[in-house]
Amino acid sequence: MSEQNSGTVTAEHVDKKELERVLALQREAFLAEGTPSAEVRRDRIDRLMLAVLEAADPLAEALQEDYGRRPTALSKMFDVLSWLEDVKVNRECLEEWMKPVVLDGPPPAFIEQKPKGVVGVIGAWNFPVSLTVHPAFAALAAGNRVIMKFPENHPRTGRVLAQAVAKYFAEDEVAVVLGDLETARDFSSLPLDHIVLTGSPAVGKAVAGAASANLVPVTLELGGKNPVVLGRDADLDRAAERLALARVMNSGQVCSCPEYVFVPRAHLDTFRTKLEAEFRLLFPTFLENPAAVAIINDRNYERITALIDDATARGATKLQVVAPDEAAHLPSPGKRLIPPTILTDVPADAKINDEEVFGPVISLFPYDDISEAIRYIQVRPAALCAYYYGEDGADFRAFVQGTTSGGVTRNDCFAHQTVPGAPFGGVGHSGYGAYHGKAGFDEFTHRRTVAAPEGDRPFAAGSTGEAVLHPDVEAGLDQFVASEVAALRSRLGR
């Protein structure tokens, strides 16, 4: 880790040979141990929980420094504690999940729940602690060893977590790797037994491509343009309050944030006014408000403001929700602060329609019939989340059936990813694979079928040598095919 003149701390490169050394150490320990018991797995889960919880204060303080401005309570809420209840449930269910599944047969067989080996976790910078340790807990529950690559954007926080984990774990059990972007690329190319990444679709493609060279299975938790539809019967006050809260959480740097909202045309102006009022309640001032979270770095600040500028240059209307005396000073490149921003009349060719904003900007679109909103969502890449406000009626059912996303919440945001035992993950462009609850255990477990045939006749009898040439063999096969074809024709009425 090095200090620049500006006081910015940067992550130093970790040589690939060092990464390979840690992997070899963990793989050797995994093979020597064999499948760990539920007791051993719980002990590892408990030690990692203790490591993170004991370091709550230094982690939150480091995150505040790495972000530039971020309330420590926000970090404790989402980075230190958000995974806790899910992990508690998981550790209590281990014996049940680990049991072999007996199959009906014949032949007699069962499915063994076998750990994969060494799992690599690549965390994301928006909630770097929780998005690094939460998948690690699932991997430990499944009986694996774990190497966590901490996001390079938060070197101070990574150092705190690495020290906390090293207090309770030997390197061959659980390890934290720091390092720069090149280190992350090298990490993706290691012959691990599984990689789980939380990040953008672009990073997901890069990691999946690197992992494919070693045929390493990958779990991708990505983002996307999360849509919202307000039904004709939506409570506009509730929708405005909850969407405002969700859009500016962590300054919009959340993969589950709502990105754009379809509003019945007759309610568009009313809803925009209500949404603006909610933003003003949350941030009556912004520039010096300690509750305002900074955009993570200059590159992302410039990317977000460029999306806003592109939309307005093409004809969109921008409503920047700030106090009048702050308007001339926001957005602020020096502080990396972008205030809540509402866009309307966004033309179809605006770049913001296709790129995840990951900032406190929300676009509003009018619709006349629910089918218009559904069609718009249908033809675009599947998002991680989809949101609907209104009653559980025909329009909501049409929305659920007509759209594809990682999950759906009605009349709020984020709720589907907090349901105990429910899998959380994307689909298509927003990722694949899932964790949380048993889904995480299954994701990092190899389900191996073990069979033990009974009787004296070999399975391959009659399929090789002179026996397979006997005319009765092919005649019997032809008769079987004919009977199956007849049954299918009967069922299809043909």
Side-chain angles (χ1 to χ4, degrees):
M1 228 161 276
S2 61
E3 291 268 354
Q4 298 176 338
N5 292 334
S6 63
T8 301
V9 179
T10 57
E12 294 179 349
H13 180 63
V14 176
D15 189 79
K16 189 174 182 180
K17 289 184 178 179
E18 171 64 10
L19 302 178
E20 292 170 340
R21 182 192 68 80
V22 177
L23 172 58
L25 196 66
Q26 288 211 358
R27 178 158 290 135
E28 183 179 353
F30 172 79
L31 293 174
E33 179 186 43
T35 299
S37 66
E39 183 180 7
V40 168
R41 299 182 197 200
R42 281 203 187 92
D43 176 67
R44 288 173 180 160
I45 290 170
D46 287 346
R47 280 185 280 143
L48 184 56
M49 290 170 71
L50 185 58
V52 177
L53 294 174
E54 278 188 344
D57 285 335
L59 284 170
E61 290 161 7
L63 278 167
Q64 187 177 50
E65 290 185 74
D66 283 332
Y67 257 97
R69 185 190 297 184
R70 195 199 207 201
T72 53
L74 178 68
S75 294
K76 290 178 182 179
M77 190 181 302
F78 289 103
D79 271 294
V80 176
L81 292 172
S82 63
W83 46 264
L84 187 59
E85 292 308 311
D86 179 60
V87 174
K88 284 182 178 180
V89 171
N90 292 356
R91 70 181 300 285
E92 296 306 318
C93 296
L94 282 180
E95 276 92 358
E96 186 63 30
W97 294 350
M98 290 170 61
K99 288 179 181 178
V101 178
V102 178
L103 303 174
D104 291 339
F110 65 90
I111 299 173
E112 176 192 16
Q113 312 292 340
K114 188 173 181 63
K116 289 188 172 182
V118 181
V119 173
V121 179
I122 304 175
W125 57 257
N126 55 329
F127 293 107
V129 178
S130 63
L131 293 178
T132 302
V133 302
H134 200 161
F137 282 115
L140 290 175
N144 302 283
R145 306 282 168 132
V146 178
I147 308 174
M148 295 179 268
K149 169 60 184 78
F150 200 79
E152 66 276 3
N153 309 72
H154 300 285
R156 297 178 183 87
T157 312
R159 181 167 52 192
V160 172
L161 182 65
Q163 291 171 348
V165 170
K167 181 179 177 181
Y168 290 101
F169 288 94
E171 200 176 27
D172 66 356
E173 211 174 10
V174 176
V176 177
V177 172
L178 307 179
D180 58 6
L181 184 58
E182 186 181 350
T183 305
R185 294 193 182 105
D186 288 342
F187 189 84
S188 304
S189 67
L190 293 175
L192 293 149
D193 297 298
H194 197 111
I195 293 175
V196 54
L197 162 82
T198 304
S200 68
V203 174
K205 291 176 183 178
V207 169
S212 68
N214 293 309
L215 298 179
V216 177
V218 178
T219 301
L220 299 179
E221 301 293 346
L222 311 177
K225 300 287 292 181
N226 300 317
V228 184
V229 172
L230 303 192
R232 292 168 294 183
D233 55 1
D235 182 326
L236 297 185
D237 290 314
R238 176 164 60 179
E241 177 193 19
R242 297 183 180 190
L243 287 172
L245 286 164
R247 180 67 269 192
V248 296
M249 178 192 288
N250 205 44
S251 273
Q253 298 169 112
V254 184
C255 58
S256 304
C257 270
E259 288 264 327
Y260 62 94
V261 188
F262 273 98
V263 187
R265 189 178 300 276
H267 300 319
L268 182 63
D269 291 340
T270 300
F271 179 73
R272 179 177 52 199
T273 299
K274 290 179 180 295
L275 186 62
E276 177 188 359
E278 292 295 336
F279 281 141
R280 291 193 187 280
L281 282 174
L282 290 170
F283 292 104
T285 63
F286 198 81
L287 196 61
E288 302 299 333
N289 192 328
V293 178
I295 302 302
I296 185 63
N297 54 31
D298 292 339
R299 181 177 62 83
N300 275 284
Y301 172 88
E302 292 163 3
R303 180 187 58 80
I304 296 165
T305 53
L307 289 174
I308 298 171
D309 292 344
D310 172 78
T312 55
R314 295 174 190 270
T317 300
K318 177 181 73 172
L319 174 58
Q320 185 174 273
V321 185
V322 293
D325 60 341
E326 293 185 332
H329 306 289
L330 286 165
S332 170
K335 297 178 184 292
R336 300 195 311 276
L337 290 175
I338 299 174
T341 303
I342 302 171
L343 296 178
T344 52
D345 306 312
V346 181
D349 60 350
K351 295 178 181 178
I352 201 167
N353 292 330
D354 300 312
E355 183 176 333
E356 183 179 7
V357 180
F358 229 63
V361 185
I362 195 162
S363 301
L364 306 184
F365 297 99
Y367 75 85
D368 296 302
D369 187 89
I370 191 75
S371 61
E372 300 169 33
I374 292 172
R375 179 60 180 167
Y376 183 95
I377 298 166
Q378 279 179 335
V379 299
R380 281 160 174 76
L384 183 61
C385 308
Y387 302 117
Y388 183 92
Y389 286 78
E391 298 302 318
D392 184 3
D395 282 355
F396 173 63
R397 294 294 163 179
F399 172 79
V400 171
Q401 294 172 12
T403 62
T404 300
S405 63
V408 176
T409 292
R410 183 170 66 88
N411 286 332
D412 207 345
C413 294
F414 312 131
H416 64 275
Q417 66 194 62
T418 67
V419 178
F424 173 67
V427 58
H429 192 74
S430 56
Y432 47 79
Y435 65 101
H436 292 197
K438 190 174 185 294
F441 178 90
D442 291 342
E443 190 77 359
F444 304 117
T445 297
H446 171 53
R447 291 175 290 283
R448 181 167 70 167
T449 301
V450 180
E454 297 174 340
D456 297 328
R457 180 177 171 80
F459 179 83
S463 64
T464 189
E466 292 293 327
V468 78
L469 302 177
H470 195 284
D472 289 347
V473 172
E474 190 160 0
L477 294 170
D478 291 342
Q479 184 178 6
F480 182 77
V481 170
S483 67
E484 291 295 314
V485 168
L488 286 167
R489 284 177 173 168
S490 175
R491 192 154 67 236
L492 294 169
R494 298 186 180 186

